[in-house]
Amino acid sequence: MFPPLVRVENEEFLVVNDHQTIAPADVLLISLPYKARLTQSGHDFATRTDEFAVHLRGGRSMWFRSRAGQRSEFVEAFCTTIRTVLSRPVPVVYVDYDKLYQSIRDKSIW
């Protein structure tokens, strides 16, 4: 899920400024995770996160974090771009954060 660590002398670093090009045709699904919470009275509710996952052809998934409060705007623009390029919508689903994270890790999302 993460790139290999880069070793410099006796320290290891995770390089996070890498970029990858994704072909629009490879985007199959976007997952918007939420975190389930309980009120003091025991009622459940969902809180939005700033993360989202893009699931790609070939079984790959990429995890993104948007700026605080801007996930919806970014995902909407991303979906509009894909729809314009491919003339097809991208399915967007809401899923529990922990379940999504685990399904990506064990590749059971497919």
Side-chain angles (χ1 to χ4, degrees):
M1 187 162 158
F2 295 106
L5 295 174
V6 175
R7 188 165 188 77
V8 178
E9 296 180 4
N10 293 333
E11 296 187 55
E12 293 181 320
F13 299 91
L14 177 64
V15 178
V16 296
N17 62 349
D18 288 343
H19 74 276
Q20 294 181 355
T21 302
I22 303 169
D26 288 345
V27 177
L28 300 177
L29 174 71
I30 296 176
S31 295
L32 303 177
Y34 62 85
K35 293 187 179 185
R37 302 279 193 242
L38 289 177
T39 64
Q40 291 179 348
S41 61
H43 295 94
D44 61 335
F45 67 98
T47 59
R48 181 185 305 199
T49 69
D50 293 320
E51 292 98 355
F52 62 97
V54 176
H55 308 289
L56 306 169
R57 198 176 310 278
R60 285 187 28 207
S61 294
M62 299 180 79
W63 192 271
F64 295 92
R65 176 173 289 151
S66 63
R67 290 186 176 157
Q70 295 183 352
R71 178 181 81 170
S72 295
E73 294 161 357
F74 184 87
V75 170
E76 184 178 331
F78 186 78
C79 289
T80 300
T81 301
I82 299 293
R83 187 174 52 246
T84 302
V85 170
L86 299 178
S87 298
R88 70 163 172 86
V90 177
V92 177
V93 297
Y94 293 91
V95 63
D96 179 75
Y97 184 96
D98 294 327
K99 289 179 184 175
L100 175 61
Y101 186 75
Q102 187 59 45
S103 67
I104 290 172
R105 288 194 60 191
D106 62 18
K107 297 187 186 269
S108 65
I109 198 157
W110 307 107

